[in-house]
Amino acid sequence: MTDAAISEPGLLRLSLHDVSKTFTMHLRGGVVLPVVGDVSFDVHAGECVVLGGPSGAGKSSILKMAYGNYGADSGAIRFHRGGGDSIDLVTATPRETLELRRATVGYVSQFLRTVPRVSALDVVAEPLLAHGASRGEARTRAGMLLARLNLPERLWSLPPATFSGGEQQRVNIARGFITDHPVLLLDEPTASLDATNRKAVIAMVEEKKRAGIAMLGIFHDDDVRAQVADCIVDVTRFAARAA
Amino acid sequence: MSAIASYNFGYLDEQTKRMIRRAILKAIAIPGYQVPLASREMPMPYGWGTGGGRGPAAIIGPADVLKGIDQGADDTPNAGSIPPFFAKVARVETTTRTADATIIQTRHRVPEEKLRAGQVLVYQVPIPEPLRFLEPRETETRKMHALEEYGLMHVKLYEDIARHGEIATTYAYPVKVAGRYVMDPSPTPKFDNPKMHRSDALQLFGAGREKRIYAVPPHTDVVSLDFEDHPFEVQHFSEPCALCGAEGVYLDEVVLDDRGGHMFVCSDTDHCETRRADGHVGALGTSPMESADV
Amino acid sequence: MSDEALLRVNGLGKSYGSRIGCTDVGFELWPGEVLAIVGESGSGKTTLLNCLSTALDPTRGRAEYRMRDGAFRNLYDLGEAERRFLMRTDWGFVHQNPADGLRMTVSAGANVGERLMAVGERHYGRIRATALDWLTRVEIATDRIDDQPRAFSGGMRQRLQIARNLVTNPRLVFMDEPTGGLDVSVQARLLDLLRGLVADLGLAVIIVTHDLAVARLLSHRMMVMKEGRVIEAGLTDRVLDDPREPYTQLLVSSILQV
């Protein structure tokens, strides 16, 4: 199913090289906002690299570029798939990016974009279905994850649009963790969670590490960060110089 | 003949006859395909057999023997007036005997007697386009025929079954000719459809008002449309002809009196008379019709 | 995942004299991908859709489609019979107004079954069973199978149109503002249905819409059109979250928040 076997720790999975991004706000007279410049770092199998720095420094932008959600202006974002095979997301076609998302890189976003009428269970199960699992298998696994995150079962069959922030976040997390993608991107996964659920997420991150998954994340909470981070990359190093 | 007007042989002028013959040849070359033709004045109005009339007019020759059928009978309006008309303008013999005719113009029935090679059966057709009621646009129906897109024809049959539990069409039942064109066989009862299949005779179909001619050459496949699980079936009659005892023929219901008395008799009057002349007698023996004198 | 594209478009353009309908359009589409063409009125998106679906002949350019036998054919070289056959079997077209894509005076069952009958299905029982199955899939009560679409609501008619188009398992479906004019809750239901069907059946879809929310929900990739040209293209979430072109930024910022 995934294109990486459960790997030995240490294998290079994701590398960023001289990645730069600016925003040009045409609606504001074309003002150019530099975000980051010359971002370079690596993420290996089984480790969790945390992006650190104050808000506005560009952490979320880096994560989004690593998912193809934002377009990098220059540089390379390479996913290494074993056997010397790698693909650069910056130059990938939309089709290649879709395939990367299907099989290689998962994303836990900060906000859940709700789709009307789809139940929380099905929202979580969807990435596994795209992988080829049967509906039954996917739903069972989804239920297991939601249970670990203490989402009450009576909510599973409801669309998440009316859930609280913390409930929605747990749906998001479950959706991101359900597959075996070799790379996982985590954007503030514990921001709205209480202590019990923060612990559950930490445990899940540890499990992923043991399974050889490479993770890149942003964690607002110092405590959580201290427990999961194998290395912290200070994003202010990559502050882009204003034009 | 009076001296006020002398008509060309067969009423129509030679150029018109040539035009119609060309259309007929085209129709024979493409079985079931509706060939357009130009309209010419005929001394009967549209709806009274002009479509049929042009056919014989174009092909009739001095040696031909003409018979007319109107709903099976030999003496009802079309059958009663068209052969005498041709007798006047072409001086041909007319007959009521199917076996003796070379050209038979018919309104809505096929003779019971098997036709032989050399005979021509000319059908009168009101609306030649079988798809008309489902697709009113002529531009679209022409494309459908050209591209053999006949799904819509089966939609009509599907609707029948959905609504009535069976295919409710009992006359003008659509057929596929030579495996290619779908044709309206004119408003003959579906009972007659099998007779059109691989006939030894030439069958011509003329629509005067709509200005079309189509043809089924001899020995051509004519297959009624149906579904695998709702196959085509002809009407079955529970009784034989009351006059001649014939079975497996199309029967007309005739009202005898005003007390509900009725009988079922052969629609094909020539066929009935021939059988009675040969000695066949039905349940009602000598027909009270003969004495009733309508 | 199959490697070969389903549709390859190159330099496609349609002009009306000196007036440009659409110009210089090129892209590739793979099975299972949903491509949204967005833009405002007059952007050329409908002209492009009509050219792609061969309803209009383009002025220049090619569109090569991979037929069921694997061969690529330029759509504009197809004969009329081939084109119509393609439209009935391998393609679907969902019109904005469902009455344009249905036979209003024929029962729902016959509407769904017509394409089957057009390709030679001759068993009434099977046709009806297939029609019932599809009505269920598009959430129309099966007891309405013999009713005419004239008696259906707008949302039901649209769902019937979808069933009619999908019954022959097309590989490519064109949609022209399929949710236009529908009430919001009806629209939500329809979009969810479309999402599910596209995923289940692996359909490739080209959908024209001016509604960016519909594009976000349904499509993987997006092309933004303005004055007949494609001014930005890419992954849908990328174009909507990180718009580069001034016009795209304008469009995205104009969406009303609820």
Side-chain angles (χ1 to χ4, degrees), chain B residues 134-135 137 140 143-144 147 149-152 154-155 157-159 161-163 226-230, chain C residues 80-81 84 88 103 105-107 109-110 114 117-118 121-128 145-146 148:
Chain B
L134 272 176
E135 178 51 72
R137 294 170 291 181
E140 193 55 27
K143 262 199 191 149
M144 286 164 141
L147 302 174
E149 286 181 11
Y150 291 127
L152 204 51
H154 277 89
V155 167
L157 300 178
Y158 169 98
E159 288 287 82
I161 300 172
R163 221 173 277 152
D226 61 9
F227 285 102
E228 284 165 22
D229 50 339
H230 284 83
Chain C
E80 179 74 358
R84 283 168 72 113
R88 271 205 314 275
R103 286 198 197 273
T105 55
V106 148
S107 72
E114 183 178 340
M117 292 184 252
E121 176 59 73
R122 290 287 174 264
H123 193 280
Y124 174 83
R126 278 200 297 264
I127 294 167
R128 197 170 170 84
I145 185 173
D146 296 322
Q148 292 182 1

Side-chain angles (χ1 to χ4, degrees), chain B residues 87-162:
Chain B
K88 253 199 201 150
V89 300
R91 293 211 198 107
V92 290
E93 263 183 66
T94 63
T95 179
T96 59
R97 304 215 42 155
T98 305
D100 296 341
T102 58
I103 300 176
I104 303 166
Q105 175 167 338
T106 179
R107 180 171 170 273
H108 310 342
R109 283 261 30 241
V110 176
E112 300 293 345
E113 184 155 339
K114 190 162 156 24
L115 300 175
R116 14 158 258 279
Q119 289 183 305
V120 182
L121 183 60
V122 184
Y123 297 75
Q124 296 167 210
V125 182
I127 306 276
E129 177 51 66
L131 297 164
R132 182 59 62 225
F133 41 78
L134 272 176
E135 178 51 72
R137 294 170 291 181
E138 173 74 10
T139 49
E140 193 55 27
T141 50
R142 282 203 201 185
K143 262 199 191 149
M144 286 164 141
H145 284 295
L147 302 174
E148 211 176 338
E149 286 181 11
Y150 291 127
L152 204 51
M153 210 60 244
H154 277 89
V155 167
K156 158 94 180 43
L157 300 178
Y158 169 98
E159 288 287 82
D160 272 359
I161 300 172

Side-chain angles (χ1 to χ4, degrees), chain A residues 21-27 64 67-73 94-95 97-99 101-102 113-118 126 135, chain C residues 1-3 30-31 33 139 188-189 192-193 195 200 216-217 220-221 234-235 237-238 241-246 249-250 253:
Chain A
K21 174 129 192 91
T22 59
F23 283 121
T24 308
M25 319 288 276
H26 294 286
L27 299 181
K64 288 186 173 143
Y67 196 59
N69 182 227
Y70 280 3
D73 293 337
R95 177 170 170 70
T97 309
L98 287 171
E99 178 57 21
R101 289 179 180 180
R102 193 191 64 82
R113 196 174 293 276
T114 59
V115 173
R117 296 198 343 157
V118 180
E126 205 176 319
R135 198 166 287 264
Chain C
M1 221 182 203
S2 91
D3 273 66
W30 273 267
E33 279 189 347
E139 299 174 24
R189 186 180 186 185
D192 182 52
L193 180 72
R195 266 181 100 239
D200 287 345
R216 163 103 59 188
L217 193 64
H220 306 100
R221 292 165 51 199
L235 284 180
D237 64 288
R238 206 282 301 152
D241 289 343
D242 184 18
R244 308 300 191 90
E245 294 300 314
Q249 290 186 358
L250 175 65
S253 68

